Amino acid sequence: MSKSKLTFSCQTCGTLYPKWTGQCTGCHEWNTIAEEVTTTATASRYQGYSGKQAQITRMLDVTLHAESRVSTGSQELDRVLGGGLIMGSAVLIGGDPGIGKSTILLQAIAHLSQNLKTLYVTGEESPQQITLRARRLGLTEDKVWLLADTHVETILNHAQIEKPRVLVIDSIQTMHTSLLSSAPGSVGQVRETAMQLVTFAKQTDTALFLVGHVTKEGHLAGPRVLEHMVDTVLYFEGEQDNRYRMIRAVKNRFGSVNELGIFAMTEKGLREVSHPSAIFLSRSSEVASGSIITATKEGSRPLLVEVQALVDQSHGANPRRLSVGLDAQRLSMLLAVLHRHTGISTHSMDVFLNVVGGLQITEPAADLPTLFAILSSLRNRPLPHDLITFGELGLSGEIRPVPGGQERLKEAAKHGFKTAIVPKANDAKKSIDGMKVMAVQTLKDAVDCFEELS
């Protein structure tokens, strides 16, 4: 027995209301309240992940199973997953349309199907379209099973009969359940279908991939609780007109977060980039002012990227501060620290900052190279091509150390850099062949090094 009930819910955060209202009090968004007809079952439709009656267990008596990881055929994808795919885990992959979510999952499924039974469920394409793409990419087709359906109960019935070890749902916003009468993609449908699929994956030890749409702001569409249901959340980054794509892990219960996998889009699909620093180091052969190389840390891997700055006389009442790839508010703070402790003013100047390659740098290790690039452009004095620097700048003008300093220096030396300006605490413990390391403690020391090298 079931009863229908008319409710109003926010399509952004899922907050429920007895009647329609213009603004959601949960997320403060306007015009996101939509009408939904829900069907409430009288009997409980949820079960524990074990599928049995829950019992209280002492931690000492819990039997641990060996954590076996399965390779997806891509070292970069394995990296962001924490070393490989774990059976029984639920992975959510989000990104802009056409960025490569379905492509990389089809490549992974083709590789996994050689040893495991796989099922690719599509709610957006037909089996013919999936097969044509697989042939264009040169993938094996003999062991990849396809299902074109959007009814989650039907999908789970097929999965219980076929018993796949890896299940792909493309995409979660197209799925619907008979328990709710609202349209596919609504908050209730996404939450309910995701819960049923994740519960099935946990009970049967099946690896589950969910493809998620994103909103125009770049967030995953549907309720925020969707990200809490799964074990791993991966985001695709990169522009469609750019050859390179990046996958970033923002949540991972089985590995470290903020790992980054870099791929190149080719005619044969996504190909992993084994030496990503070489991508971001494609500099012009001519020496130019306003450019410097820094070593940033993405997860457990150091990357060398180029930071560019352009400082020009402002022709407006309010000088512009534009930053691409770095926090714009932090740029304003760094300019204030530069003026306070060195007397170098940019109050009447437009300052533009860019990280080459479309990479987003969120760590403060880019403070020192940012100021070096600004000084180089302001004084029109280029820095040496073989110079690298990193370090965090404090408000009192001190240069603070950053984690992983030795790994950054070794990565720079591997790519032929001869000079490094680093915080005093990140000074090399032992000399690095072919590299001169200059350690600084204050911003004044860093400016002195700039004057010496430029």
Side-chain angles (χ1 to χ4, degrees), residues 23-138:
Q23 185 185 26
C24 175
T25 58
C27 61
H28 304 290
E29 294 289 337
W30 287 92
N31 299 322
T32 59
I33 311 299
E35 178 182 292
E36 290 187 1
V37 179
T38 61
T39 303
T40 305
T42 56
S44 176
R45 61 180 181 268
Y46 300 112
Q47 291 182 342
Y49 287 157
S50 63
K52 303 176 182 178
Q53 184 67 30
Q55 296 180 350
I56 298 177
T57 307
R58 188 175 56 167
M59 184 183 293
L60 184 63
D61 299 330
V62 175
T63 303
L64 298 179
H65 302 283
E67 186 183 273
S68 59
R69 294 184 182 267
V70 181
S71 174
T72 60
S74 170
Q75 293 183 358
E76 292 297 299
L77 183 56
D78 290 343
R79 171 189 291 272
V80 295
L81 288 174
L85 181 63
I86 291 182
M87 292 296 102
S89 64
V91 181
L92 176 63
I93 299 182
D96 295 330
I99 201 171
K101 303 184 297 294
S102 300
T103 299
I104 194 170
L105 285 180
L106 189 57
Q107 294 178 210
I109 280 290
H111 176 81
L112 291 168
S113 65
Q114 302 306 307
N115 300 311
L116 300 171
K117 190 168 185 178
T118 60
L119 177 60
Y120 192 104
V121 180
T122 172
E124 302 176 349
E125 299 177 277
S126 65
Q128 291 79 12
Q129 291 174 308
I130 299 292
T131 304
L132 284 174
R133 180 189 301 166
R135 291 181 181 177
R136 177 174 57 86
L137 300 178

Side-chain angles (χ1 to χ4, degrees), residues 147-161:
L147 174 62
D149 203 330
T150 59
H151 189 224
V152 70
E153 282 81 6
T154 303
I155 295 171
L156 292 179
N157 287 336
H158 283 289
Q160 288 171 355
I161 296 172

